Amino acid sequence: MLSSPVPQVTAVARALQDARSAYLSEEERRFIECVEMRRRELLASKAEIEVHDFGAGAPGEVRTPEEMRKGVRSKAPLAKVCAVASKSPAWGAILFRFIRHLRPSSCVELGTCVGLSAAYQAGALRFNGQGNLLSLEGSPGVAAVAMETFNLLGLQNARVSVGPFHETYIHALESMRPVDFLFNDGHHDHDAVVNYFLQSLPYLADTAVMVVDDIAWSVGMKQAWREMIGHPQVVVSVDMRTVGVLVLSGPDVLADRRQFQVGVA
């Protein structure tokens, strides 16, 4: 990957190298500690919030397309929402490094949750001195917590679009085009993931990076990953067991299509 003629591929490789070495500057460490302080605060919360879930539910759960379209409403402890749905500090740090090395200008995230992964990305953009993040969240109650997270961390380059993805996604892509970096941590359903992948293609930059979470979450997600890495615009794919990375290029970018498997502790 380090010898690739595509700069985004070498940037992904360097980010993964940094993840193994755990190198961060003192300023970066201080920022990440602030994000993790926010995580600890949320995990200690006694509050209960309303959750409007438009996703596929838990692994093994079967929801009809109509149920996913309307969403399932419930009440849940904020601490549980944070614990179950947020990316771990290790994965947050990897997202941070991806952004630092790729230096994107326009980033879109599907699945804001309480805003921790978005904070890692927006913080990296701020260290880069450029770029904005638009994150999509279906549940208004959860989105309100994320916006509070951004405010507490002073992340003015991050905002949340609230509503089901099938209503907000295309508008988000249109408003942020050309999208350099897209993180899909939202609707973990085969059809949804593949459709969002295909819908994004006209709005991406000439060379863009897409990170897809939970690629081994279910049989459907494994199949979706196989279909995405076989698309002709995907020049490089990186399988990190639970998270996948795709580098996509237009027809004018010449590069050999390659697949990598990377173990991440």
Side-chain angles (χ1 to χ4, degrees):
M1 290 176 67
L2 287 169
S3 62
S4 171
V6 182
Q8 287 82 353
V9 175
T10 58
V12 168
R14 291 194 182 99
L16 293 173
Q17 278 188 328
D18 277 1
R20 289 182 181 277
S21 70
Y23 172 77
L24 290 166
S25 71
E26 187 59 36
E27 293 80 8
E28 289 171 331
R29 289 184 187 279
R30 282 199 294 266
F31 171 76
I32 287 176
E33 176 55 30
C34 289
V35 177
E36 291 308 314
M37 188 180 302
R38 172 62 170 167
R39 187 194 302 270
R40 292 191 292 272
E41 175 187 287
L42 293 171
L43 290 173
S45 173
K46 304 299 183 184
E48 192 174 64
I49 61 173
E50 183 174 281
V51 177
H52 195 177
D53 182 7
F54 295 91
E61 183 177 351
V62 178
R63 290 183 181 175
T64 66
E66 184 62 21
E67 285 176 322
M68 290 187 284
R69 189 170 186 84
K70 290 183 177 179
V72 176
R73 294 181 184 272
S74 64
K75 290 275 190 177
L78 175 55
K80 182 178 180 180
V81 173
C82 177
V84 171
S86 297
K87 297 305 295 175
S88 69
W91 283 114
I94 289 174
L95 285 171
F96 181 89
R97 289 180 169 94
F98 281 154
I99 298 292
R100 287 289 274 146
H101 282 276
L102 288 162
R103 302 187 64 82
S105 297
S106 179
C107 305
V108 173
E109 175 186 59
L110 284 85
T112 318
C113 190
V114 294
L116 297 177
S117 61
Y120 273 99
Q121 294 169 81
L125 291 171
R126 189 169 67 183
F127 277 105
N128 288 348
Q130 66 179 42
N132 293 284
L133 170 70
L134 176 58
S135 186
L136 279 61
E137 173 55 50
S139 178
V142 179
V145 178
M147 287 185 275
E148 184 180 66
T149 297
F150 300 160
N151 289 334
L152 287 170
L153 295 169
L155 296 170
Q156 298 178 349
N157 58 348
R159 56 193 177 96
V160 183
S161 176
V162 184
F165 296 163
H166 62 264
E167 294 180 3
T168 61
Y169 187 49
I170 295 299
H171 177 72
L173 292 170
E174 180 67 46
S175 68
M176 297 293 285
R177 70 187 307 172
V179 177
D180 304 294
F181 186 87
L182 194 154
F183 177 40
N184 186 345
D185 186 19
H187 193 164
H188 301 321
D189 169 77
H190 169 273
D191 292 350
V193 169
V194 173
N195 285 338
Y196 293 138
F197 169 80
L198 295 173
Q199 289 171 2
S200 72
L201 298 180
Y203 301 93
L204 299 180
D206 289 341
T207 303
V209 172
M210 184 182 299
V211 177
V212 184
D213 193 23
D214 291 323
I215 58 173
W217 189 78
S218 65
V219 172
M221 286 296 291
K222 291 177 182 178
Q223 178 61 30
W225 174 247
R226 288 192 291 269
E227 292 175 27
M228 287 186 288
I229 66 176
H231 192 277
Q233 283 185 236
V234 174
V235 294
V236 167
S237 62
V238 182
D239 183 339
M240 295 188 288
R241 298 176 185 166
T242 60
V243 174
V245 181
L246 305 171
V247 180
L248 300 101
S249 292
D252 295 333
V253 178
L254 299 177
D256 294 330
R257 292 180 58 187
R258 302 190 65 187
Q259 299 178 14
F260 298 89
Q261 288 190 331
V262 178
V264 177

